[in-house]
């Protein structure tokens, strides 16, 4: 299966969120396919914005995004390169 470049955008509501440790565990588990990661705390709004760039087969990208999206107070969207 061919690898695809994908951008995964994540917004974490940081107020009283215990999903942050679980999110970091998931990202660590997929570390071999992660090309880069950028996190921006937006304290005024009480959220953290994280972007992850991955190089992986489509099913791995979907699995990663699905696990992240299942976390409480976490939103995720994925964009995949056309080639």
């Amino acid at each position: 299966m061919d690898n695809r470049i994908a951008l995964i955008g994540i917004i974490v509501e940081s107020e009283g969120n215990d999903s942050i440790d679980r999110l970091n565990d998931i990202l660590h588990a997929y570390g071999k396919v992660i090309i880069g990661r950028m996190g921006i705390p937006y304290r005024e709004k009480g959220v953290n914005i994280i972007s992850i760039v991955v190089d992986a087969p489509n099913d791995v990208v979907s699995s990663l995004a699905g696990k992240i999206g299942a976390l409480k107070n976490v939103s995720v969207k994925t964009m995949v390169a056309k080639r």
Side-chain angles (χ1 to χ4, degrees):
M1 189 176 288
D2 292 334
N3 281 10
R4 304 291 294 275
I5 304 295
L7 172 65
I8 301 174
I10 306 164
I11 297 180
V12 181
E13 297 176 27
S14 56
E15 296 298 318
N17 191 347
D18 51 356
S19 296
I20 295 171
D21 288 337
R22 182 67 187 124
L23 173 60
N24 284 322
D25 290 343
I26 292 168
L27 294 177
H28 179 75
Y30 283 83
K32 291 187 185 238
V33 299
I34 295 175
I35 298 170
R37 172 181 174 172
M38 178 178 64
I40 302 169
Y42 192 3
R43 291 178 186 89
E44 292 82 12
K45 298 289 182 176
V47 298
N48 291 299
I49 303 128
I50 303 168
S51 59
I52 307 291
V53 179
V54 298
D55 184 359
N58 218 21
D59 60 334
V60 173
V61 174
S62 295
S63 175
L64 172 56
K67 289 177 182 180
I68 293 170
L71 297 173
K72 183 178 176 185
N73 297 322
V74 178
S75 301
V76 64
K77 291 290 181 185
T78 303
M79 294 186 302
V80 180
K82 292 183 180 179
R83 53 183 186 118

